[in-house]
Amino acid sequence: MKRNRNNNKTLIIMRTLLASVAICLCMQLHAQNIIVLHPSDATDTINKNIYGHFAEHLGRCIYGGFYVGDNNKKIPNKDGIRLDVVEALRKLRIPVLRWPGGCFADTYHWKDGVGPKNERPSMLNVWWGNVKEDNSFGTNEFLNMCEMLGAEPYLSGNVGSGSPQELSDWVKYTTHPAGSSPMPDLRAKYGRPNPWHVKYWGLGNEAWGCGGNMTAEHYADVYRQYATFMSNGGDIFRIASGASDDDYHWTEVLMQQLPPNMFNALGLHHYSVIDWNKKSSSTDFSESEYFTTMQKALFMEELITKHSAIMDKYDPKKTKALVVDEWGGWYDVVEGTNGAFLFQQNTMRDAMIAGSTLNIFNNHCDRVKMANLAQCINVLQAVILTDEEKMVLTPTYHVMEMYNVHQNALMIPTTLVTNSYQIGDDKLNALSASASKDKDGVVHISITNIDAHNAEPVTIYLNGLPAKTVTGRVLKSEKLQDHNTFDDPNKVVPQAFTGATLNGDNISLTAPPFSVIVLEIK
Ligand code: AHR
């Protein structure tokens, strides 16, 4: 059976390749790109948590971004949480939110952030500008906000400078029933008798760096100690601090040394940064800087493939997840803003990073079960920017919103034959794509064309999928540097895409330069 299917697949690919060559020869056009869907090979679901976000006590992500103070009369809020932000994130269907860091997490002592606000101690946020952290936004505020957002919380525990007792107490404070021990009683005293549901727990952040500068071997031991004392009485999902980029040794050691019953996932962090010592402006960048950023972004494919291959050796049934709990573009801060606040603008370049990366995650959904874009508001590749009462949605927001049709849908494997986007001798795949079928049988195909100049002709072979109509949306703009501002918030917004034609078993379209398209096939 399997063999036949593979033979069929080869035949289809050969047929489509021949067709594309023929089309090129006849029409002297830019070569046809081919996407072949394999609906009969669809077995894996795209976990909605791949569309997750990250919120750190960094710059204006929490303070000014999510939270504006309980007594703020200028900005509409509920218990200090901005209502415009809640509305925008609910539209995005944000599934999970990681908090409170990042590097901040391993300096954070959660007990400082509960109880009456006027009794909460202040601290210096040593990682992010030494600014005063008054702890007015703490555990109750975050977990209540997640309920408002309809998002699952992912709490990142302090392993670097905390203790097993402190983390164990946090689990009890948030998830154990009132009356069962002193921590849930404290929660009840602070106004929340019923526990929240907190499934996702990180044990430290970047343990190889700001989380304690540990070796993988040392962290594995520390992890085991902390994990032993964590139980939420049910579905706890423990995420070990994972590798930085291509540190495959880290993944190998953790897979070898963490007892399978003590962890559910390994993290992975990868930022699309040109050079840590020489980044680029977030808006005023050259095509060559764009190209290099995309090289770094597309490296995610290799990273996931190689980290997954290591995990496969120890966990061939894929019971452990890879959680890419920090990803996104990282540039110079906007001129005139605090260098430690990591505030950057968000252009069509970011839309290209988002579209390509989400395609990679979708296609690897057998192993990647969660990802958290860094960061949600006002920091790095944000989906929302705010300035006092003003708020604007970024191109990345729109890509996340267009792609959210893939959340919890059945991933349809694809074969892609794509032209290159080339500068000099350097080449990148111009296109990336992913496809899925939702619970109502509706098929969505997302396509990102990163080529800065060429519109790309595409033929999509549906391979037996029934199709009566095709509609779509596209995100495109005139310049790669285009972005939304408070004065011009709708410069980059999705538009209807009417250029897809259904011809029996295939769809043809032309993807504009640097564009993201999501098709809906019924
Ligand atoms: O997202 C900003 C920082 O990048 C995080 O705090 C840290 O985990 C990473 O190095």
Side-chain angles (χ1 to χ4, degrees), residues 240-253:
S241 168
S244 167
D245 306 292
D246 55 356
D247 182 356
Y248 300 114
H249 174 74
W250 188 274
T251 297
E252 186 90 49
V253 170

PDB file of all heavy atoms in Angstrom, residues 240-253:
ATOM      1  N   ALA A 240      11.149  21.852  29.275  1.00  0.00           N
ATOM      2  CA  ALA A 240      12.535  22.104  29.691  1.00  0.00           C
ATOM      3  C   ALA A 240      13.103  23.241  28.859  1.00  0.00           C
ATOM      4  O   ALA A 240      12.808  23.364  27.663  1.00  0.00           O
ATOM      5  CB  ALA A 240      13.372  20.848  29.486  1.00  0.00           C
ATOM      6  N   SER A 241      13.926  24.060  29.511  1.00  0.00           N
ATOM      7  CA  SER A 241      14.594  25.142  28.785  1.00  0.00           C
ATOM      8  C   SER A 241      15.432  24.515  27.678  1.00  0.00           C
ATOM      9  O   SER A 241      16.268  23.648  27.937  1.00  0.00           O
ATOM     10  CB  SER A 241      15.471  25.900  29.789  1.00  0.00           C
ATOM     11  OG  SER A 241      16.336  26.762  29.109  1.00  0.00           O
ATOM     12  N   GLY A 242      15.192  24.957  26.449  1.00  0.00           N
ATOM     13  CA  GLY A 242      15.777  24.255  25.300  1.00  0.00           C
ATOM     14  C   GLY A 242      16.995  24.950  24.737  1.00  0.00           C
ATOM     15  O   GLY A 242      17.522  25.921  25.297  1.00  0.00           O
ATOM     16  N   ALA A 243      17.400  24.432  23.595  1.00  0.00           N
ATOM     17  CA  ALA A 243      18.643  24.869  22.961  1.00  0.00           C
ATOM     18  C   ALA A 243      18.514  26.264  22.378  1.00  0.00           C
ATOM     19  O   ALA A 243      17.426  26.724  22.034  1.00  0.00           O
ATOM     20  CB  ALA A 243      18.988  23.899  21.837  1.00  0.00           C
ATOM     21  N   SER A 244      19.678  26.896  22.241  1.00  0.00           N
ATOM     22  CA  SER A 244      19.753  28.106  21.448  1.00  0.00           C
ATOM     23  C   SER A 244      20.135  27.668  20.039  1.00  0.00           C
ATOM     24  O   SER A 244      21.146  26.969  19.840  1.00  0.00           O
ATOM     25  CB  SER A 244      20.846  28.997  22.027  1.00  0.00           C
ATOM     26  OG  SER A 244      21.136  30.030  21.121  1.00  0.00           O
ATOM     27  N   ASP A 245      19.332  28.027  19.087  1.00  0.00           N
ATOM     28  CA  ASP A 245      19.650  27.798  17.671  1.00  0.00           C
ATOM     29  C   ASP A 245      20.155  26.374  17.421  1.00  0.00           C
ATOM     30  O   ASP A 245      19.450  25.421  17.696  1.00  0.00           O
ATOM     31  CB  ASP A 245      20.659  28.854  17.188  1.00  0.00           C
ATOM     32  CG  ASP A 245      20.167  30.262  17.450  1.00  0.00           C
ATOM     33  OD1 ASP A 245      19.185  30.657  16.814  1.00  0.00           O
ATOM     34  OD2 ASP A 245      20.738  30.947  18.321  1.00  0.00           O
ATOM     35  N   ASP A 246      21.399  26.270  16.915  1.00  0.00           N
ATOM     36  CA  ASP A 246      21.884  24.953  16.482  1.00  0.00           C
ATOM     37  C   ASP A 246      22.750  24.267  17.540  1.00  0.00           C
ATOM     38  O   ASP A 246      23.677  23.532  17.208  1.00  0.00           O
ATOM     39  CB  ASP A 246      22.641  25.072  15.159  1.00  0.00           C
ATOM     40  CG  ASP A 246      23.778  26.081  15.245  1.00  0.00           C
ATOM     41  OD1 ASP A 246      23.919  26.739  16.301  1.00  0.00           O
ATOM     42  OD2 ASP A 246      24.523  26.220  14.257  1.00  0.00           O
ATOM     43  N   ASP A 247      22.442  24.472  18.802  1.00  0.00           N
ATOM     44  CA  ASP A 247      23.156  23.771  19.871  1.00  0.00           C
ATOM     45  C   ASP A 247      22.530  22.369  20.008  1.00  0.00           C
ATOM     46  O   ASP A 247      21.726  22.113  20.900  1.00  0.00           O
ATOM     47  CB  ASP A 247      23.046  24.572  21.178  1.00  0.00           C
ATOM     48  CG  ASP A 247      23.813  23.906  22.315  1.00  0.00           C
ATOM     49  OD1 ASP A 247      24.359  22.797  22.111  1.00  0.00           O
ATOM     50  OD2 ASP A 247      23.855  24.497  23.414  1.00  0.00           O
ATOM     51  N   TYR A 248      22.930  21.480  19.104  1.00  0.00           N
ATOM     52  CA  TYR A 248      22.321  20.143  19.079  1.00  0.00           C
ATOM     53  C   TYR A 248      22.765  19.301  20.277  1.00  0.00           C
ATOM     54  O   TYR A 248      22.050  18.393  20.699  1.00  0.00           O
ATOM     55  CB  TYR A 248      22.645  19.442  17.752  1.00  0.00           C
ATOM     56  CG  TYR A 248      22.117  20.240  16.572  1.00  0.00           C
ATOM     57  CD1 TYR A 248      22.980  20.828  15.641  1.00  0.00           C
ATOM     58  CD2 TYR A 248      20.749  20.452  16.419  1.00  0.00           C
ATOM     59  CE1 TYR A 248      22.494  21.599  14.598  1.00  0.00           C
ATOM     60  CE2 TYR A 248      20.248  21.225  15.378  1.00  0.00           C
ATOM     61  CZ  TYR A 248      21.126  21.796  14.472  1.00  0.00           C
ATOM     62  OH  TYR A 248      20.633  22.557  13.443  1.00  0.00           O
ATOM     63  N   HIS A 249      23.938  19.626  20.818  1.00  0.00           N
ATOM     64  CA  HIS A 249      24.416  18.916  22.001  1.00  0.00           C
ATOM     65  C   HIS A 249      23.411  19.076  23.155  1.00  0.00           C
ATOM     66  O   HIS A 249      23.128  18.129  23.894  1.00  0.00           O
ATOM     67  CB  HIS A 249      25.798  19.477  22.400  1.00  0.00           C
ATOM     68  CG  HIS A 249      26.318  18.927  23.690  1.00  0.00           C
ATOM     69  ND1 HIS A 249      26.817  17.642  23.803  1.00  0.00           N
ATOM     70  CD2 HIS A 249      26.397  19.468  24.942  1.00  0.00           C
ATOM     71  CE1 HIS A 249      27.190  17.435  25.064  1.00  0.00           C
ATOM     72  NE2 HIS A 249      26.952  18.522  25.770  1.00  0.00           N
ATOM     73  N   TRP A 250      22.868  20.289  23.281  1.00  0.00           N
ATOM     74  CA  TRP A 250      21.910  20.569  24.364  1.00  0.00           C
ATOM     75  C   TRP A 250      20.714  19.607  24.274  1.00  0.00           C
ATOM     76  O   TRP A 250      20.310  18.976  25.259  1.00  0.00           O
ATOM     77  CB  TRP A 250      21.454  22.028  24.263  1.00  0.00           C
ATOM     78  CG  TRP A 250      20.627  22.485  25.427  1.00  0.00           C
ATOM     79  CD1 TRP A 250      19.269  22.348  25.581  1.00  0.00           C
ATOM     80  CD2 TRP A 250      21.099  23.116  26.625  1.00  0.00           C
ATOM     81  NE1 TRP A 250      18.866  22.867  26.782  1.00  0.00           N
ATOM     82  CE2 TRP A 250      19.974  23.350  27.447  1.00  0.00           C
ATOM     83  CE3 TRP A 250      22.354  23.521  27.073  1.00  0.00           C
ATOM     84  CZ2 TRP A 250      20.065  23.958  28.697  1.00  0.00           C
ATOM     85  CZ3 TRP A 250      22.445  24.137  28.323  1.00  0.00           C
ATOM     86  CH2 TRP A 250      21.314  24.340  29.120  1.00  0.00           C
ATOM     87  N   THR A 251      20.180  19.489  23.073  1.00  0.00           N
ATOM     88  CA  THR A 251      19.010  18.621  22.878  1.00  0.00           C
ATOM     89  C   THR A 251      19.379  17.157  23.133  1.00  0.00           C
ATOM     90  O   THR A 251      18.624  16.415  23.780  1.00  0.00           O
ATOM     91  CB  THR A 251      18.468  18.808  21.442  1.00  0.00           C
ATOM     92  OG1 THR A 251      18.041  20.165  21.334  1.00  0.00           O
ATOM     93  CG2 THR A 251      17.306  17.899  21.135  1.00  0.00           C
ATOM     94  N   GLU A 252      20.535  16.754  22.653  1.00  0.00           N
ATOM     95  CA  GLU A 252      20.991  15.368  22.834  1.00  0.00           C
ATOM     96  C   GLU A 252      21.093  15.038  24.330  1.00  0.00           C
ATOM     97  O   GLU A 252      20.578  14.016  24.792  1.00  0.00           O
ATOM     98  CB  GLU A 252      22.371  15.222  22.161  1.00  0.00           C
ATOM     99  CG  GLU A 252      22.921  13.815  22.126  1.00  0.00           C
ATOM    100  CD  GLU A 252      22.507  13.061  20.862  1.00  0.00           C
ATOM    101  OE1 GLU A 252      22.648  13.605  19.756  1.00  0.00           O
ATOM    102  OE2 GLU A 252      22.025  11.915  21.005  1.00  0.00           O
ATOM    103  N   VAL A 253      21.718  15.930  25.098  1.00  0.00           N
ATOM    104  CA  VAL A 253      21.918  15.666  26.529  1.00  0.00           C
ATOM    105  C   VAL A 253      20.573  15.607  27.258  1.00  0.00           C
ATOM    106  O   VAL A 253      20.320  14.706  28.064  1.00  0.00           O
ATOM    107  CB  VAL A 253      22.841  16.741  27.159  1.00  0.00           C
ATOM    108  CG1 VAL A 253      22.866  16.623  28.677  1.00  0.00           C
ATOM    109  CG2 VAL A 253      24.243  16.626  26.600  1.00  0.00           C
TER     110      VAL A 253
END
